[in-house]
Amino acid sequence: MGVIIVLSAVVAPRFSDYVPALRVRKAADHLFAWVQKARSDAATSGLRHRLIVDTRTKSFWIEIEARPFKDPDTFTPLGGSWEEEKLADLVDFETLQGLEPDPSQGQRKFLEFLPDGTTVDATITVSNDRGDRVSIKVVGATSRVTLESDPTQP
């Protein structure tokens, strides 16, 4: 019993250091999946898709221009499993490079995927106040999406 108590006293503080980093990684993994979904859906459907990021509410979702000829520039949110999702507690958007501001909404930005799946170069970084960060990078011409952890992190 004494060995278990000593081990838990040593291991618990070390494990608690990883929990905030795991929250950042999990948030980045989810956002990565959403970026890939928007890109692939745009390419397969031939319709523009936007990944919307709201820094005020710390949330993101995908919108589609479902009727480009009848209602151009009218985007509607995807439903079902792809409804709005929020970042985990204590995780925030750090960088939204390459995303365009939504003129109708002050804190919203979007990354638009064209009907062929291409977009602009973009970087979305999520982080916490401890300095843990993970970036989702999109190469515009190819729309290749990568997930990169901060190289300064252990």
Side-chain angles (χ1 to χ4, degrees):
M1 187 70 139
V3 172
I4 292 173
I5 292 172
V6 170
L7 282 175
S8 64
V10 171
V11 172
R14 296 206 182 272
F15 181 72
S16 67
D17 288 345
Y18 291 104
V19 172
L22 289 174
R23 284 187 184 150
V24 171
R25 182 60 187 210
K26 183 177 177 184
D29 286 345
H30 282 205
L31 189 55
F32 178 75
W34 286 62
V35 172
Q36 288 186 309
K37 166 84 171 153
R39 180 191 59 80
S40 65
D41 281 4
T44 57
S45 70
L47 299 171
R48 292 190 301 167
H49 282 64
R50 288 181 175 172
L51 174 75
I52 309 293
V53 175
D54 189 331
T55 56
R56 183 180 53 79
T57 62
K58 295 178 20 173
S59 59
F60 54 94
W61 63 94
I62 297 172
E63 292 183 350
I64 180 174
E65 183 186 36
R67 299 167 47 155
F69 298 110
K70 285 192 170 191
D71 297 318
D73 295 323
T74 301
F75 287 82
T76 56
L78 288 182
S81 299
W82 300 98
E83 290 181 354
E84 180 178 344
E85 185 168 324
K86 293 188 179 286
L87 293 178
D89 291 338
L90 305 175
V91 178
D92 206 349
F93 293 107
E94 180 180 307
T95 305
L96 298 174
Q97 184 178 20
L99 279 70
E100 297 181 41
D102 187 340
S104 65
Q105 303 290 331
Q107 299 296 319
R108 292 183 187 174
K109 292 189 173 192
F110 65 87
L111 178 61
E112 184 171 289
F113 291 91
L114 300 176
D116 62 357
T118 59
T119 189
V120 297
D121 290 341
T123 301
I124 303 170
T125 304
V126 293
S127 64
N128 60 20
D129 59 355
R130 295 175 35 132
D132 302 309
R133 68 180 47 82
V134 178
S135 296
I136 295 99
K137 296 191 180 217
V138 182
V139 178
T142 62
S143 293
R144 181 181 167 160
V145 183
T146 58
L147 193 62
E148 300 177 5
S149 295
D150 186 346
T152 62
Q153 299 298 315

